[in-house]
Amino acid sequence: MIKFGSSHDVTIDQDKIQQLLAEIQSDPMGGWFNLPDDYDQDELFRIKEAAKAIQQNSDYLVCIGIGGSYLGHRALAEALGLNQGTKLIYVGNSLSTREYQRVLAELEGKDFSINVISKSGTTTEPAIAFRLLKQQLFQKYGDQANARIYATTDQAKGALHDEAVQNHYTQFVVPDNIGGRYSVFSAVGLLPLAVAGASIEELLHGAKLEKATLENPTASAAVRYAWLRHDLLVQNYDVEVLASFEPCLSQLSEWWKQLFGESEGKRQQGIFPASVIYTTDLHSLGQYLQDGRRNIFETVMEVEASPETSLIIPSLDSNLDGLQYLEGKSLDFVNQKALEATVQAHLEGGIPVNEFKIPDLHEKSLGALIYCFEVACALSAKLSGINPFDQPGVEAYKNNMFQLLGKPGY
Ligand code: PA5
């Protein structure tokens, strides 16, 4: 379903991969691995019922969360181009006053609900966002406000869990055995996506089909990608650039950066994950890629299907702009040629290039791609002897910030 190719050749040790896949599945944080097969149908029903209620009474769903608690559903909502009905709006992923003022102003006069998502239930950015947004919600809806709050958090502990129980918010659970950045196929991602109109069954179906490819590991896109990344790292290619020619995939690149960066960047090791959107970045980072230090490899995401309606470059009486040679061609054709030209130029410039071909930008294909990246990330980290499921490094800034803010106990 997801096709994968590379300029770089490797021989995969199938036994090693089988062993690592077994380790991932039995890891205390490996619960995401079987989600596409084992999804709790009652939970799916509850998600869809909640989504219907939100769609009926809200112009906006305010999604509060940071890192793995928001990047996945934002990535999918933007890639799917969901812009009908209830809109998703995101806060709690920064501490920027200007950004909050923009969001609060956008909500002015609109009906909205809140989905506050925090596995720990104690992360500072979403906690502050929740306070600020609750204020606006209570001003507008008074004692009806609690019915518009949906809390996705731990099932038994944390400040958000306790508040949700006390105030009777509708609750969804982030399972104990699933970490934030692997949680998009849980209620963390599925509730907002259902509200925005995505088919969450099709997303899970795509993930399930991709999971099935692991039965033949050497042919699986996830396995081949993971093995290649590790092989390239061993050869000192320690920066990976994820490239796409579709701006609607830029948030998917943000999710991918978090997934790989937080999973692999430990003990002074790991590949630095970066991203570009072409052709925009061919006029900026393209220069560095073509001619700069040779420690970079590139992974291109190509969408195989053309857009449902095409844009044709019109014919004119004159050729003042010199574009007569493109008359009658579709814009998508030109974009495709730009992709082919870029891959060729980068290969000639000494950059190893991997390519993912995604059939289209619908739920099934995107579900497959997300699952493929999750498996590849876990495998790739494990090939370097790194635990893909913890993130000890994110505590450093928090401790400093709490000290500077005078938090008790710091
Ligand atoms: O991937 C992760 O585990 C992190 O990025 C978390 O998702 C992020 O730190 C938010 O944590 P929480 O959901 O506990 O608020």
Side-chain angles (χ1 to χ4, degrees):
M1 110 145 298
I2 299 293
K3 295 183 204 144
F4 179 76
S6 178
S7 62
H8 193 75
D9 221 11
V10 281
T11 310
I12 294 167
D13 176 343
Q14 181 152 339
D15 292 341
K16 176 86 187 161
I17 291 293
Q18 300 280 23
Q19 175 215 319
L20 295 181
L21 287 173
E23 281 178 24
I24 291 166
Q25 275 190 78
S26 58
D27 192 286
M29 294 310 290
W32 57 273
F33 190 84
N34 287 324
L35 263 187
D37 287 339
D38 292 351
Y39 211 91
D40 174 350
Q41 294 304 308
D42 292 342
E43 165 99 337
L44 216 52
F45 179 77
R46 283 188 67 232
I47 290 175
K48 289 198 290 187
E49 288 301 297
K52 265 191 239 156
I54 297 167
Q55 284 167 339
Q56 275 160 15
N57 70 9
S58 303
D59 302 311
Y60 284 89
L61 176 66
V62 183
C63 301
I64 298 180
I66 194 163
S69 287
Y70 104 102
L71 282 162
H73 51 92
R74 184 168 191 178
L76 283 165
E78 298 201 4
L80 288 164
L82 302 173
N83 54 14
Q84 309 274 310
T86 305
K87 292 189 183 61
L88 305 182
I89 194 164
Y90 306 92
V91 287
N93 55 75
S94 84
L95 293 167
S96 157
T97 305
R98 291 173 185 83
E99 182 59 13
Y100 275 92
Q101 283 166 343
R102 186 191 67 74
V103 170
L104 293 171
E106 192 165 341
L107 292 174
E108 204 58 59
K110 302 285 188 330
D111 279 312
F112 68 99
S113 298
I114 293 176
N115 183 196
V116 51
I117 309 169
S118 175
K119 180 175 178 178
S120 62
T122 54
T123 308
T124 309
E125 290 92 333
I128 292 176
F130 193 30
R131 274 211 181 195
L132 289 167
L133 268 294
K134 260 186 307 194
Q135 190 180 33
Q136 189 139 330
L137 195 77
F138 278 90
Q139 274 163 10
K140 191 169 169 76
Y141 299 104
D143 56 12
Q144 300 302 306
N146 283 350
R148 288 177 172 266
I149 299 178
Y150 297 78
T152 307
T153 189
D154 189 90
Q155 66 178 337
K157 58 179 186 308
L160 178 57
H161 165 267
D162 297 350
E163 179 180 335
V165 171
Q166 191 165 327
N167 293 330
H168 307 291
Y169 304 152
T170 304
Q171 282 183 72
F172 289 93
V173 169
V174 191
D176 276 345
N177 60 356
I178 300 180
R181 56 193 177 275
Y182 295 87
S183 69
V184 61
F185 295 121
S186 74
V188 169
L190 297 186
L191 176 60
L193 285 164
V195 171
S199 166
I200 55 177
E201 283 94 348
E202 277 297 282
L203 272 174
L204 289 167
H205 180 53
K208 189 180 165 112
L209 292 177
E210 199 55 33
K211 181 169 183 285
T213 69
L214 297 172
E215 280 159 26
N216 179 9
T218 48
S220 151
V223 172
R224 292 177 56 219
Y225 176 47
W227 197 277
L228 268 157
R229 293 181 86 252
H230 178 66
D231 205 63
L232 287 164
L233 178 62
V234 170
Q235 293 176 52
N236 293 325
Y237 289 99
D238 57 8
V239 175
E240 179 179 16
V241 172
L242 184 70
S244 161
F245 284 70
E246 294 292 345
C248 70
L249 294 180
S250 67
Q251 285 298 323
L252 199 136
S253 298
E254 293 304 311
W255 169 82
W256 172 92
K257 283 193 276 194
Q258 189 233 355
L259 177 69
F260 281 85
E262 226 171 43
S263 297
E264 287 191 318
K266 290 162 203 170
R267 305 203 312 257
Q268 279 78 54
Q269 290 184 60
I271 296 168
F272 183 83
S275 66
V276 288
I277 292 293
Y278 294 148
T279 60
T280 310
D281 287 321
L282 289 173
H283 298 258
S284 71
L285 291 174
Q287 172 59 39
Y288 192 102
L289 279 150
Q290 193 67 45
D291 261 352
R293 284 189 62 200
R294 297 297 74 177
N295 62 334
I296 298 175
F297 67 99
E298 189 171 34
T299 300
V300 181
M301 294 187 283
E302 178 182 347
V303 183
E304 290 185 292
S306 296
E308 268 142 41
T309 39
S310 49
L311 269 183
I312 303 297
I313 297 170
S315 302
L316 296 179
D317 291 340
S318 75
N319 188 29
L320 288 174
D321 57 9
L323 286 187
Q324 210 160 47
Y325 74 104
L326 291 178
E327 283 178 8
K329 302 261 187 333
S330 73
L331 186 59
D332 197 53
F333 171 82
V334 180
N335 203 24
Q336 179 60 29
K337 294 299 151 202
L339 184 153
E340 290 168 26
T342 305
V343 168
Q344 189 186 336
H346 288 176
L347 285 172
E348 286 163 4
I351 298 182
V353 180
N354 306 317
E355 229 182 320
F356 277 103
K357 289 192 194 236
I358 317 157
D360 50 48
L361 292 180
H362 296 145
E363 284 89 340
K364 190 165 85 175
S365 305
L366 288 164
L369 181 68
I370 291 271
Y371 189 79
C372 173
F373 279 146
E374 288 181 349
V375 173
C377 179
L379 278 176
S380 169
K382 279 192 161 281
L383 283 166
S384 296
I386 297 216
N387 175 1
F389 305 127
D390 63 358
Q391 54 282 331
V394 299
E395 293 310 312
Y397 98 90
K398 286 188 196 168
N399 291 335
N400 293 346
M401 182 176 81
F402 290 151
Q403 227 168 46
L404 292 170
L405 290 170
K407 182 172 176 170
Y410 284 84

